[in-house]
């Protein structure tokens, strides 16, 4: 039996990350639609309304595919005027894909172009991209290799507005028998651990993170924690969603989802800061799913400030 190629670095622990984020629409009314067509085209309009801010936003994404040519073209537009598009050429060579991505934001005037490529083999995957705008050029590299149920991965970033000081992160983990464990260390000494287990209708995950005391970062490097957390870090993205802070105090969160049937599921998550989240998802009829969510601050039960959210997913 042929061994499946590993996922890309940013998708490590993807199912567990979505367990902490997907379906929790706190403070929002959300509408997502998916409209496929017979001409290998797909349209995804989305809209959001903030219950507290009273602001609304929306976006439209279109994707066109030509399977016989291995070509996929996507376009996207948001109500703030941001627009972009990308083209993916699959199987340019054996196991090699090439992607060209462009975006433009009229509010900031920023124009960004990205040229990326990925190489997949049964035991390893490597991704690389060059991002360039009017002010800087950034080189991004990542790779994942596995042997049996074990895998090791790493990512690096060189250049950008901060100069030539590199950013790096490494991960090691285990996947098998319905369980996945991902341990991650970033270049500022932030350690995170993501553990998930799937058993029957129940799927649960646990995430823990802290900054290593006494860790000395590279000299002369200025880091943006939010920027680092968003780049190819399998556990830091989860930590940010459960209320992590950049300090030596440990942070953790737990989440679980139980599927009563293919139409009904309930999900809950708890963060160290005392925030308890619930989400209930029900398939109303074919192609329409309703999600109700709430966030409760356990430290201020009688003070208010709790949030609710409504999500509606439709597929033609």
């Amino acid at each position: 039996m042929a061994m499946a190629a590993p996922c890309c670095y940013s998708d490590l622990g993807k199912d567990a990350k979505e367990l902490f984020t997907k379906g929790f629409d706190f403070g929002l009314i959300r509408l997502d639609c998916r409209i496929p067509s017979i001409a290998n085209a797909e349209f995804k309009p989305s809209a959001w309304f903030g219950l507290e801010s009273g602001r609304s936003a929306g976006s439209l994404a279109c994707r066109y595919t030509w399977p016989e040519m291995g070509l996929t073209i996507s376009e996207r537009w948001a109500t703030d005027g941001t627009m972009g598009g990308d083209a993916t050429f699959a199987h340019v060579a054996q196991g090699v894909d090439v992607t060209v991505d462009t975006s433009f934001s009229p509010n900031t005037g920023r124009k960004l172009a990205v040229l990326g490529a990925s190489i997949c083999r049964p035991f390893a995957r490597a991704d690389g991209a060059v991002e360039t705008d009017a002010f800087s050029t950034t080189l991004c590299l990542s790779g994942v290799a596995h042997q049996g149920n074990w895998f090791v991965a790493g990512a690096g970033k060189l250049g950008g507005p901060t100069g030539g000081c590199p950013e790096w992160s490494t991960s090691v983990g285990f996947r098998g028998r319905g369980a996945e464990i991902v341990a991650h260390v970033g270049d500022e000494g932030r350690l995170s651990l993501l553990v998930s287990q799937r058993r029957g209708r129940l799927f649960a995950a646990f995430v823990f993170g802290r900054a290593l005391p006494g860790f000395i970062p590279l000299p002369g490097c200025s880091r943006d924690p939010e920027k680092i957390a968003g780049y190819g870090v399998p556990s830091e993205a989860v930590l940010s969603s459960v209320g992590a802070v950049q300090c030596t105090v440990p942070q953790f969160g737990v989440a679980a989802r139980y599927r009563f049937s293919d139409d009904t599921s309930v999900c809950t998550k708890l963060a160290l800061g005392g925030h308890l989240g619930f989400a209930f998802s029900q398939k109303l009829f074919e192609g329409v799913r309703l999600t109700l969510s709430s966030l409760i601050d356990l430290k201020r039960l009688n003070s208010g400030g709790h949030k609710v959210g409504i999500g509606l997913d439709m597929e033609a």
Side-chain angles (χ1 to χ4, degrees), residues 221-244:
C221 293
S222 175
R223 295 286 190 257
D224 181 353
E226 294 183 356
K227 185 177 181 181
I228 297 175
Y231 171 67
V233 179
S235 299
E236 290 291 339
V238 179
L239 289 175
S240 64
S241 69
V242 296

Side-chain angles (χ1 to χ4, degrees), residues 11-27:
D11 284 344
L12 293 176
K14 180 180 179 180
D15 291 341
K17 288 189 291 185
E18 290 184 347
L19 189 61
F20 283 90
T21 57
K22 193 173 182 179
F24 294 104
D25 305 306
F26 304 136

Side-chain angles (χ1 to χ4, degrees), residues 1-56:
M1 181 181 298
M3 183 181 298
C7 63
C8 64
Y9 184 79
S10 59
D11 284 344
L12 293 176
K14 180 180 179 180
D15 291 341
K17 288 189 291 185
E18 290 184 347
L19 189 61
F20 283 90
T21 57
K22 193 173 182 179
F24 294 104
D25 305 306
F26 304 136
L28 294 175
I29 297 178
R30 174 187 56 83
L31 173 64
D32 284 334
C33 301
R34 180 175 176 270
I35 308 173
S37 72
I38 60 176
N40 294 329
E42 182 179 89
F43 304 93
K44 290 184 177 181
S46 300
W48 308 268
F49 176 77
L51 295 176
E52 295 182 358
S53 64
R55 296 181 177 180
S56 59

Side-chain angles (χ1 to χ4, degrees), residues 13 31 42 50 52 55 62 64 81 127 133 166 182 205 211 232 234 256 278 285 311:
L31 173 64
E42 182 179 89
E52 295 182 358
R55 296 181 177 180
C62 307
Y64 313 93
D127 294 89
D133 57 19
V182 182
F278 291 98
F285 45 88

Side-chain angles (χ1 to χ4, degrees), residues 10-229:
S10 59
D11 284 344
L12 293 176
K14 180 180 179 180
D15 291 341
K17 288 189 291 185
E18 290 184 347
L19 189 61
F20 283 90
T21 57
K22 193 173 182 179
F24 294 104
D25 305 306
F26 304 136
L28 294 175
I29 297 178
R30 174 187 56 83
L31 173 64
D32 284 334
C33 301
R34 180 175 176 270
I35 308 173
S37 72
I38 60 176
N40 294 329
E42 182 179 89
F43 304 93
K44 290 184 177 181
S46 300
W48 308 268
F49 176 77
L51 295 176
E52 295 182 358
S53 64
R55 296 181 177 180
S56 59
S59 66
L60 174 63
C62 307
R63 185 176 67 175
Y64 313 93
T65 58
W66 291 269
E68 66 280 0
M69 300 173 56
L71 175 62
T72 301
I73 295 179
S74 300
E75 300 173 319
R76 55 190 182 274
W77 172 84
T79 52
D80 63 357
T82 302
M83 61 187 70
D86 63 80
T88 300
F89 303 88
H91 311 303
V92 175
Q94 184 177 3
V96 178
D97 296 344
V98 176
T99 301
V100 179
D101 191 309
T102 59
S103 63
F104 171 66
S105 177
N107 293 334
T108 62
R110 189 190 184 198
K111 302 175 183 178
L112 178 66
V114 181
L115 175 62
S118 63
I119 303 176
C120 294
R121 292 294 183 267
F123 58 89
R125 176 189 175 110
D127 294 89
V130 177
E131 304 176 358
T132 181
D133 57 19
F135 305 101
S136 63
T137 300
T138 306
L139 174 64
C140 306
L141 299 172
S142 65
V144 181
H146 70 162
Q147 179 62 41
N149 294 330
W150 295 90
F151 62 85
V152 62
K157 206 169 187 180
L158 180 64
T162 58
C165 189
E167 303 171 8
W168 59 267
S169 56
T170 58
S171 300
V172 63
F174 173 87
R175 184 188 296 114
R177 298 183 179 180
E180 185 174 18
I181 302 173
V182 182
H184 166 81
V185 177
D187 63 348
E188 283 197 331
R190 290 191 308 278
L191 170 67
S192 59
L193 178 66
L194 177 63
V195 181
S196 62
Q197 174 69 52
R198 190 185 302 273
R199 182 165 296 182
R201 296 181 180 270
L202 180 65
F203 181 43
F206 165 83
V207 63
F208 170 85
R210 68 169 297 169
L212 297 177
F215 185 91
I216 302 176
L218 295 175
C221 293
S222 175
R223 295 286 190 257
D224 181 353
E226 294 183 356
K227 185 177 181 181
I228 297 175

